[in-house]
Amino acid sequence: MKHIKIFDTTLRDGEQTPRVNLNAKEKLRIAKQLESLGVDVIEAGFAAASPGDFSAIQLIAENIKNSTVTSLARAVKSDIEVAAEAIKKATKPRIHTFIATSPVHREFKLKMTKEEILKSVDEMVRYAKSFVEDVEFSAEDAMRTEKEYLVEVYETAIKAGATTINIPDTVGYRTPDEMYETIKYLKDNIKGIENIDISVHCHNDLGLAVANSIAAVEAGATQIECTVNGIGERAGNTSLEEVVMILKTRKDLFEGYTTNIDTKQIYPASKLVSLLTGVTTQPNKAIVGANAFSHESGIHQHGVLANPETYEIMKPETVGRNVDSLVLGKLSGKHAFIDKLNNLGLSGFDDKKIEQLFAEFKNLADRKKYVLDDDIISLVSGDAAEVVKGRLSLEQFEISRKDSKTKAEINILLDGEKEVSASYGSGPVDASYKAINRILNDNFVLEEYKLESITGDTDAQAQVVVIIEKNGKRYIGRAQSTDIVEASIKAYINALNRLYQN
Ligand code: KIV
Ligand code: ZN
């Protein structure tokens, strides 16, 4: 058996996706889903990057029991100390330290010689090792580094105590053949490599991150670094769901290869990450996209009805989609609701949480004839009814339209005081936001407004994500409702409450 470790970096490299900004509670919610998914390692953040990152890592380290929890740290003493402090309470702590090694990084970024870098690798891996047993070392931009020098770098790290060496394609430059060659070369030439894990970390700039990670596994890599939905810097990272399903679906090629992933948790994890980051997946995204298991052409539909294997290489249920045909509605009872949660892989809630979710479900069922699987996943993942408590709350609103002009009248409570405002706008959302802006008279900027429907009917729930910016900081607000204006106003208020919390 060849066990491939799944190292998830959704909360670190994934959080480096432009505009993504998660708070500690949201990060913990994702970390718990990653634990249910069965990932071996959760990279919870970069502790030295900010106090917010530090406390989120600490919170995750205290709450996650089954997965290793790691923090990234540059190969400098102060970063390693902060990382060690943040993961101190983890059941399985790891420090992940890195330094760049390629000529362009050595000359222009670090201004260090090859020898100086080797010295730093030796000293900093030893330093990390003085805090924890489990130390991962990455040579940033490894795939554009001279192969012979890489051997020296990784041999130094292993001698200093690294238990995993990570070989990143930081700029997503390589092709699968090149990846295979390099990993094979390193495997054959680095002394001591047989006793440690060989990891790869691929970026997707040329759309090859998944193919490169798989080529690396074929060459002997034992750990894949990846993110849910493939989110991450620039074009993103290797997509977790794709590599896992390649290894599972192509058993003929990967006989004996295993991962710890409970694939039924893939779809709920994908939904949760989309919801909390505001980064939705394209419809044709493999495994988790809206169309990944839809069959449009008549010939295909006919084939699938006769035998799903005609056009489906995986069963949607295997990745937690279309788990049963039971559609819930307002007459559904708590048992049916709990059954549905279990079938969707969304179990493990205490009685109080079930009561709260059931009440939210009933609320939704009052407004929507059929409550579909995606509604339930999104209700559970996003705590749809959650209102970000703060200075503002919505009392009521009214939209009217006359002579092609749309007017919004809004009543809100601001610091407990009732405020009434009205404004015209190019549409109901624009008018409502302008009415709120009149009350606040503040200089934040609305950077992004996104509205999507969770399911396809006219009574579908709208999911709105709003990002506002002030003084270089971004605040995200989300809300869901069957009424698109209500969802829009609540998302705006949630973002504003986050702004005023800080
Ligand atoms: O892309 C990269 O090289 C990284 C390292 C810090 C592992 O994210
Ligand atoms: Zn990266």
Side-chain angles (χ1 to χ4, degrees), residues 9 12-13 16 168-170 201-203 225 233-234 237:
T9 183
R12 200 277 297 169
D13 220 325
Q16 290 172 221
D169 184 17
T170 303
H201 174 111
C202 299
H203 279 269
E225 302 201 356
E233 278 275 358
R234 307 182 308 279
N237 288 61

Side-chain angles (χ1 to χ4, degrees), residues 38-267:
V39 307
D40 299 274
V41 186
I42 297 174
E43 186 160 59
F46 188 167
S50 71
D53 250 42
F54 177 85
S55 12
I57 299 169
Q58 234 179 7
L59 187 69
I60 292 168
E62 281 164 18
N63 285 282
I64 295 296
K65 301 290 166 231
N66 300 324
S67 311
T68 295
V69 176
T70 188
S71 165
L72 187 66
R74 284 170 303 174
V76 293
K77 273 190 161 179
S78 54
D79 269 30
I80 292 172
E81 283 157 12
V82 179
E85 184 61 27
I87 53 151
K88 183 164 84 180
K89 296 212 174 120
T91 313
K92 301 181 201 170
R94 172 182 293 188
I95 293 176
H96 176 193
T97 187
F98 75 100
I99 189 165
T101 52
S102 64
V104 66
H105 279 247
R106 291 194 310 255
E107 190 181 342
F108 295 99
K109 189 177 87 176
L110 298 174
K111 300 188 190 338
M112 284 169 85
T113 63
K114 284 181 172 178
E115 290 65 35
E116 283 167 335
I117 289 173
L118 287 175
K119 185 164 178 282
S120 173
V121 172
D122 177 53
E123 287 174 1
M124 291 306 115
V125 171
R126 281 181 204 284
Y127 194 51
K129 200 77 184 175
S130 71
F131 294 98
V132 286
E133 177 47 37
D134 188 355
V135 173
E136 173 167 332
F137 168 75
S138 290
E140 191 189 10
D141 208 12
M143 293 306 289
R144 291 193 301 167
T145 302
E146 306 88 331
K147 276 187 191 170
E148 302 71 20
Y149 180 52
L150 267 190
V151 170
E152 284 186 70
V153 169
Y154 285 125
E155 241 171 49
T156 306
I158 294 170
K159 273 198 201 126
T163 39
T164 302
I165 54 157
N166 181 38
I167 305 155
D169 184 17
T170 303
V171 290
Y173 180 67
R174 291 295 169 195
T175 63
D177 282 351
E178 289 174 315
M179 196 75 192
Y180 182 94
E181 289 301 318
T182 306
I183 303 297
K184 179 100 184 43
Y185 175 84
L186 295 176
K187 211 173 164 237
D188 292 344
N189 288 283
I190 296 173
K191 283 192 211 84
I193 198 166
E194 59 287 352
N195 304 319
I196 55 140
D197 271 310
I198 307 172
S199 174
V200 282
H201 174 111
C202 299
H203 279 269
N204 204 32
D205 299 67
L206 294 172
L208 290 171
V210 168
N212 285 343
S213 303
I214 293 294
V217 165
E218 285 168 333
T222 54
Q223 174 176 285
I224 300 177
E225 302 201 356
C226 48
T227 59
V228 173
N229 299 337
I231 62 170
E233 278 275 358
R234 307 182 308 279
N237 288 61
T238 299
S239 143
L240 180 149
E241 55 281 2
E242 292 179 26
V243 283
V244 166
M245 290 313 290
I246 290 169
L247 296 177
K248 189 176 170 82
T249 308
R250 295 305 308 274
K251 275 277 164 263
D252 52 333
L253 294 179
F254 298 100
E255 203 191 329
Y257 284 76
T258 56
T259 69
N260 274 342
I261 299 299
D262 172 1
T263 57
K264 282 201 157 110
Q265 296 290 339
I266 284 180
Y267 194 57

